[in-house]
């Protein structure tokens, strides 16, 4: 089944009531039938590449060129991660889901974020965006307040914006292409104003083309983390001249490859 047909089952966007504390209620975030098939049972369960994830199929084997570094990304679905085991398997960097929208924090964040650091990996945090809930600035602020910050210690990567298919409703969250680009810019600008770093953008060609009109607004400033479960990254979205990270499989855990050697990974961490 093609990705377009898979997405056809996603329903329309729902309104997101705001609680007295300014956060969005999770009551309206009911996963679609498609999202439930991919393990998203409730608000907060979204994770990187959920549409692409298929636990019954292993992505084609790929040989890593010399100038690459292997890594993983994790969320609450992985629970407490065996970081020593991941290190022994050759993983040298990790991204951990910190937040979703302005209503969810990963209960395993400390074990995952600090555990990867303590075993020697270079680590970073990511935010799963829900642009129909609140502004980009609001969600960037929420992310920064719950683990998404950055420090120049040589071991911390800039925060990543996970902007992809909506597991709770309309594919593009009910936003026009122009409004989506504005939302993304609001998030990125807020994050940079607080940290001095340009966030990484995680997305894929299909969603980016549908929901931003394949915007080229960020390809000169923000590193691209492209999702494509195949033997090569393929055509990149948004006119990016190259990818910085490639998520190439979800088996047995989300697999990522940094496009450069260890010294370049450290350089990205240092800014």
């Amino acid at each position: 089944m093609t990705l377009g047909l898979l997405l056809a089952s996603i329903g329309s966007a729902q309104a997101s009531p705001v609680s007295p504390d300014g956060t969005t209620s999770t009551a309206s975030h009911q996963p679609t039938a498609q999202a439930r098939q991919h393990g998203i049972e409730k608000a907060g369960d979204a994770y990187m590449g959920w549409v692409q994830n298929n636990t019954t199929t292993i992505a084609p084997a790929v040989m890593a060129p010399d100038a690459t570094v292997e890594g993983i990304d994790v969320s609450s679905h992985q629970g407490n991660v065996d970081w020593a085991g991941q290190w022994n398997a050759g993983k040298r960097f990790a991204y951990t889901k910190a937040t979703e929208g302005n209503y969810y924090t990963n209960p395993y964040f400390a074990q995952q974020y600090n555990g990867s650091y303590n075993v020697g990996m270079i680590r970073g945090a990511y935010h799963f965006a829900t642009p129909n809930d609140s502004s980009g600035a609001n969600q960037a602020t929420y992310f920064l307040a719950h683990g998404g910050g950055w420090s120049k210690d040589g071991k911390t990567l800039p925060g990543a914006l996970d902007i992809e298919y909506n597991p709770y409703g309309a594919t593009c969250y009910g936003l026009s292409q122009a409004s989506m680009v504005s939302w993304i810019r609001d998030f990125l600008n807020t994050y940079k104003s607080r940290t001095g770093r340009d966030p990484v953008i995680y997305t894929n060609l299909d969603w980016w083309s549908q929901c931003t009109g394949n915007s080229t607004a960020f390809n000169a400033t923000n590193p691209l983390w492209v999702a494509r479960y195949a033997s090569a990254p393929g055509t990149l979205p948004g006119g990016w001249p190259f990818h910085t990270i490639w998520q190439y499989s979800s088996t047995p855990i989300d697999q990522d490859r940094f496009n450069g050697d260890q010294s370049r990974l450290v350089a990205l961490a240092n800014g």
Side-chain angles (χ1 to χ4, degrees), residues 9-232:
S9 64
I10 297 178
S12 61
Q14 298 178 342
S16 300
V18 176
S19 302
D21 63 359
T23 61
T24 302
S25 168
T26 60
S28 64
H29 292 74
Q30 297 301 313
T32 63
Q34 181 191 2
R36 291 182 185 277
Q37 291 174 354
H38 291 270
I40 299 174
E41 298 294 336
K42 61 185 183 303
D45 277 355
Y47 56 92
M48 283 185 161
W50 70 268
V51 167
Q52 294 98 320
N53 183 51
N54 186 336
T55 57
T56 63
T57 303
I58 299 176
V62 289
M63 296 300 293
D66 291 338
T68 61
V69 184
E70 293 293 316
I72 60 173
D73 60 84
V74 295
S75 66
S76 63
H77 291 269
Q78 282 70 50
N80 291 323
V81 176
D82 175 8
W83 289 110
Q86 292 297 328
W87 178 269
N88 292 337
K91 309 307 178 184
R92 293 297 179 263
F93 73 95
Y95 265 96
T96 295
K97 180 180 178 180
T99 50
E100 178 178 314
N102 65 351
Y103 52 81
Y104 170 86
T105 59
N106 175 8
Y108 294 94
F109 180 76
Q111 193 276 345
Q112 295 173 348
Y113 189 70
N114 297 329
S116 55
Y117 180 94
N118 291 337
V119 82
M121 293 186 189
I122 297 177
R123 50 80 190 272
Y126 79 84
H127 173 78
F128 192 98
T130 57
N132 57 318
D133 286 324
S134 62
S135 68
N138 175 268
Q139 292 192 28
T141 299
Y142 188 80
F143 178 46
L144 285 161
H146 296 92
W150 174 79
S151 59
K152 191 173 183 177
D153 57 7
K155 298 287 291 293
T156 303
L157 294 163
L161 172 64
D162 178 0
I163 187 81
E164 58 171 306
Y165 306 104
N166 179 11
Y168 310 114
T171 300
C172 301
Y173 301 85
L175 274 63
S176 68
Q177 292 175 342
S179 294
M180 183 64 75
V181 171
S182 294
W183 191 98
I184 294 168
R185 182 178 290 110
D186 194 28
F187 183 100
L188 301 179
N189 288 347
T190 301
Y191 189 92
K192 185 172 185 178
S193 71
R194 294 275 298 277
T195 66
R197 295 303 308 273
D198 289 301
V200 175
I201 295 177
Y202 169 96
T203 194
N204 63 79
L205 177 63
D206 179 74
W207 186 91
W208 192 262
S209 297
Q210 285 189 63
C211 299
T212 75
N214 209 24
S215 172
T216 60
F218 312 110
N219 64 32
T221 51
N222 298 86
L224 172 66
W225 184 352
V226 66
R228 184 171 188 257
Y229 292 4
S231 59

